[in-house]
Amino acid sequence: MATNRIHCELEAAKPEQALADILSDTMSPKVRNRVKIGATLDPDLIAAVDRYVAEHPGTDRSSVIDEAVLLWYARDQDRRVEEQYSGEMSAIEQEELAAWRRIQAAAAARIFGDRELD
C-alpha cells in the first residue's frame, strides 16, 4: 500500500542503509502519499514547533514531526546496536571469539615470526 511506504521503508531498512538515505527518500517530492495521524502533544512543544515553522518558510508541522520521528528512529537503532554488543556473550559467541583470536594469533605469527611487537 502506498500510504504505508515510509513506515515499511523504516521497518525494513537494512542496518547498512544510512539514515540520510531514508531521510532523502522520505523528503523527496516524489513521496507525497503520506499517512495522516493524530497525536496529543504538550502545548509548549507545539508552540515551539509553530515558532520554528513561522521562522522557516517552506517548513510545516509535518516536516518538523518527520524529522523528530527520524531522529528518534536513529537513536533507537543506535540503542539496539549498543544493547546487542554490550550484553553477555553466549557460550557459542565465546567459542567463536576464541577461535577468531587463535586464527588472528596464527596469522600474526606467520607474518611477524618470532619478532617482539611493540
Side-chain angles (χ1 to χ4, degrees):
M1 228 182 190
T3 57
N4 289 327
R5 179 172 176 260
I6 294 170
H7 174 72
C8 293
E9 281 182 4
L10 290 175
E11 265 189 12
K14 297 190 176 2
E16 63 272 8
Q17 184 180 15
L19 181 63
D21 293 340
I22 296 170
L23 181 59
S24 67
D25 288 347
T26 60
M27 300 308 248
S28 70
K30 67 180 179 184
V31 179
R32 292 293 175 215
N33 295 329
R34 304 179 56 87
V35 177
K36 186 169 183 136
I37 64 166
T40 303
L41 300 172
D42 183 289
D44 293 335
L45 289 175
I46 292 300
V49 169
D50 289 342
R51 278 192 305 276
Y52 180 84
V53 168
E55 295 168 0
H56 297 85
T59 62
D60 56 21
R61 283 179 169 177
S62 292
S63 64
V64 173
I65 292 169
D66 276 347
E67 185 175 348
V69 171
L70 284 166
L71 289 170
W72 162 82
Y73 179 73
R75 188 179 69 226
D76 186 59
Q77 293 302 304
D78 288 345
R79 181 189 55 78
R80 289 173 186 245
V81 168
E82 186 177 319
E83 282 177 5
Q84 180 180 358
Y85 290 103
S86 66
E88 294 284 325
M89 284 194 284
S90 69
I92 293 173
E93 290 170 325
Q94 290 174 2
E95 290 173 20
E96 288 177 354
L97 181 59
W100 279 113
R101 286 187 175 152
R102 287 190 300 273
I103 292 168
Q104 183 182 32
R110 276 193 313 275
I111 293 170
F112 299 111
D114 291 334
R115 294 186 295 181
E116 284 192 33
L117 300 177
D118 293 329

